[in-house]
């Protein structure tokens, strides 16, 4: 289910100079803001939770997921180079699964690691805030990568749709509208983080069992459907 050649090509596409700069911009901004806030406010648990929840988990993680997930396959479909890949004797689910693993890895590195660093800068992991939000970022990275990889497979405007979801649904409605929170990857990952954190600084509107089931179902279904769409694309190309 994992092809090293496909992985190497995907890593090369995602971590090219231009895309790497884009991927690194938000994590650097998060760390800089964390340093400034710590210097101005000091070590405050509530401030740390607010910043990590509002900027890191609600904004940075989904945007990086968009870049990594859609970038893992979208450009190849757009420029037609995917035909070369599909002509090789590699099973279509293997291509999707390999690209998913790469997208998850890139999303985790560029989101979870900066979240951990920022958390320790802000309050030294008081009440397990840094660890909790890092776990949330890790869990969310898996679901986001799967969803946005699917978007990259089915739409030529995947980046636009992904950013709308990340910035409007997750960052705005997912944070403010009670009903929308139940259908938010952010809230699902917060349910996992809530179980890790000490105290009540990390909370979620979704119960942990429900959040776990939804994270698994969304990830599996998105990956499966992406594989089906890639198979359909192959058939269309062969015809």
């Amino acid at each position: 289910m994992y092809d090293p050649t496909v992985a190497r090509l995907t890593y090369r596409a995602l971590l090219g100079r231009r895309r790497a700069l884009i991927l690194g911009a938000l994590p650097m901004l998060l760390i800089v803001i964390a340093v400034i806030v710590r210097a101005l406010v000091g070590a405050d648990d509530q401030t740390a939770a607010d910043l990590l929840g509002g900027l890191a988990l609600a904004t940075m993680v989904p945007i990086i997921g968009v870049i990594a997930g859609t970038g893992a396959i979208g450009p190849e479909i757009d420029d037609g180079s995917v035909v070369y890949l599909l002509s090789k004797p590699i099973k279509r689910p293997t291509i999707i699964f390999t690209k998913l693993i790469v997208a998850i890895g890139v999303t985790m590195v560029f989101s979870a690691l900066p979240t951990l660093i920022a958390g320790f800068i802000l309050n030294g992991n008081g009440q397990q805030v840094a660890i909790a939000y890092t776990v949330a970022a890790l869990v969310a990275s898996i679901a986001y990568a799967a969803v946005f990889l699917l978007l990259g497979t089915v739409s030529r405007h995947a980046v636009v749709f992904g950013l709308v979801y990340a910035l409007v649904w997750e960052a705005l409605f997912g944070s403010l509208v009670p009903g929308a929170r139940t259908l938010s990857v952010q809230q699902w990952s917060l349910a996992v983080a809530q179980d890790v954190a000490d105290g009540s600084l990390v909370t979620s509107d979704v119960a942990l069992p429900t959040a776990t089931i939804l994270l698994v179902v969304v990830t599996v279904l998105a990956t499966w459907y992406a594989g089906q769409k890639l198979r359909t694309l192959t058939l269309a190309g062969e015809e």
Side-chain angles (χ1 to χ4, degrees), residues 68-188:
T70 61
I73 195 169
E76 292 176 291
I77 295 177
D78 291 342
D79 63 19
S81 61
V82 71
V83 175
Y84 173 79
L85 179 62
L86 297 178
S87 67
K88 301 300 180 182
I90 307 174
K91 294 181 179 180
R92 305 308 176 254
T94 298
I95 295 174
I96 289 296
F97 183 76
T98 301
K99 288 182 173 294
L100 174 63
I101 294 300
V102 173
I104 289 173
V106 170
T107 306
M108 285 182 172
V109 169
F110 283 92
S111 61
L113 184 58
T115 299
L116 180 64
I117 295 172
F120 273 96
I121 291 173
L122 286 166
N123 75 332
N125 195 38
Q127 296 195 52
Q128 294 290 319
V129 168
I131 298 297
Y133 277 103
T134 300
V135 170
L138 289 170
V139 171
S141 294
I142 300 173
Y144 283 135
V147 169
F148 295 133
L149 179 64
L150 172 60
L151 271 180
T153 306
V154 302
S155 174
R156 291 181 177 274
H157 306 290
V159 174
V160 175
F161 292 139
L163 288 175
V164 168
Y165 175 84
L167 297 177
V168 177
W169 185 266
E170 289 283 14
L172 184 59
F173 287 99
S175 300
L176 301 177
V177 182
R181 295 174 186 173
T182 307
L183 300 176
S184 167
V185 174
Q186 175 191 346
Q187 290 297 321
W188 303 343

